[in-house]
Amino acid sequence: MTASASSARLDDAPLTLPERPLVSIVIPCLNEERYITGLLDALAAQDYGPDGIEVIVADGGSTDATRELVRGYQSPFARLELVDNPRRITVAGLNEGMKAARGDCWIIIGAHSTVRPDFVRQSVEALKRTGAACVGGPIDTVGDGAVGRAIAAAMSSPFGVGNAKFRYANEAGYVDTVPFGCYHRRVWEVVGEFDETVDGADEDSYNARLIEAGGRIWLDPAIRSTYYPRRTLQALARQYREYGAAKGTLFARGRPLRPRHFAPSAMVVGGPALWLAGRVSKTARIALRGLALAYLGVGGFAAYRAAKRHGANPALTFAAMATMHLAYGAGFLEGWWRERANRA
């Protein structure tokens, strides 16, 4: 299934909401028995009032206890529904969840996360106050264990994630994307479904289409959530390779991207290219050494600072940053090449 959209635009008319809108929360998940109950508890404790919230869990066929935990949850919500996601990928789960949603506004929340008690209220208030099509806030990344803490530190550093402000910013303003965004219902009607041909770029890709349709995205530091990252470098590499492949696919289709999306692939291509050129060129050898020293120096310093803030090991934090960059860069090139080959 591909994305579809109407010919209308989000800036055709003001985006208004009822006094107390019904909020649909869509949670795509697969084998999340470790986290799903904690997330539902956090949503049940919202000071917005759980009776103003409906929760749709889109499950991709979990083989652990996730489905039983959702079905057995003592729901205080206006509605709690478990829907099937037979395609299993995140974007398909978002579409299945949104087809079942009835709210005046909707929020995407990853099952690997939790939210503060005022998360829904702050989101709705910001949506009303700004008139934006989508609002969201900074995400706090909290890791478990030595490697998990290092990954959390890497994902909270500008060196690790570029200018993805939702990872570390504390100032309000318009941005290109946010995690766990709260969207006006009209966004779904105008922008259409999530693109199921590209998994791994779900919110980023959708938010780019939102902006193209005349909508704006507001980052508000009062909207706070917590994300629990992968617990091993191998899992982190798989995650970031998927992210990179999605961006590479979109780039091959002609979608404009931000500079931060190209830096890792430039490193993946540039390093080996300079090494090969260095076999015959002294200038290339000098350039390679200089760039390597710069990466180690700047990255090492950034890793030290990020590790200190998160109580993590600096060496592991640097390893996590390098893993993210290499996996994302390789994935970007893979996605770009595959899409070009398919279109040839």
Side-chain angles (χ1 to χ4, degrees), residues 7 59 85 129 149 167 172 179 197 233 278-279 291 313 330 334:
S7 59
D59 183 75
N85 169 22
R129 183 174 65 252
R149 287 193 297 273
R167 292 287 185 186
T197 67
L233 294 179
R279 305 293 293 272
L291 290 173
N313 179 285
E334 178 187 350

Side-chain angles (χ1 to χ4, degrees), residues 153-154 157-160 292-309 312-315 317-319 321:
S157 165
F159 183 83
L293 288 172
Y295 185 83
L296 290 171
V298 176
F301 179 69
Y304 172 78
R305 292 186 62 184
K308 187 176 181 180
R309 289 194 302 270
N313 179 285
T317 301
F318 181 79
M321 290 176 173

Side-chain angles (χ1 to χ4, degrees), residues 25 39 42-43 46-47 107-109 113-124 126 135-142 156 165-172 178-182 218-228 309-310:
I25 295 180
L39 177 54
L43 295 173
Q46 291 296 299
D47 62 13
I107 299 175
I108 298 168
I109 300 181
S113 59
T114 189
V115 294
R116 292 189 182 180
D118 62 350
F119 176 83
V120 171
R121 176 175 57 81
Q122 293 285 3
S123 296
V124 171
V135 299
I139 189 168
D140 300 318
T141 307
V142 178
S156 303
K165 292 185 178 180
F166 62 83
R167 292 287 185 186
Y168 53 83
N170 288 306
E171 294 182 3
V178 289
F180 308 158
C182 179
W218 180 259
L219 177 74
D220 188 333
I223 303 169
R224 309 296 300 200
S225 58
T226 298
Y227 171 73
Y228 302 109
R309 289 194 302 270
H310 286 77

Side-chain angles (χ1 to χ4, degrees), residues 168-192:
Y168 53 83
N170 288 306
E171 294 182 3
Y174 289 106
V175 294
D176 61 331
T177 192
V178 289
F180 308 158
C182 179
Y183 298 79
H184 193 281
R185 178 73 193 191
R186 184 161 164 75
V187 173
W188 181 251
E189 299 164 358
V190 171
V191 178

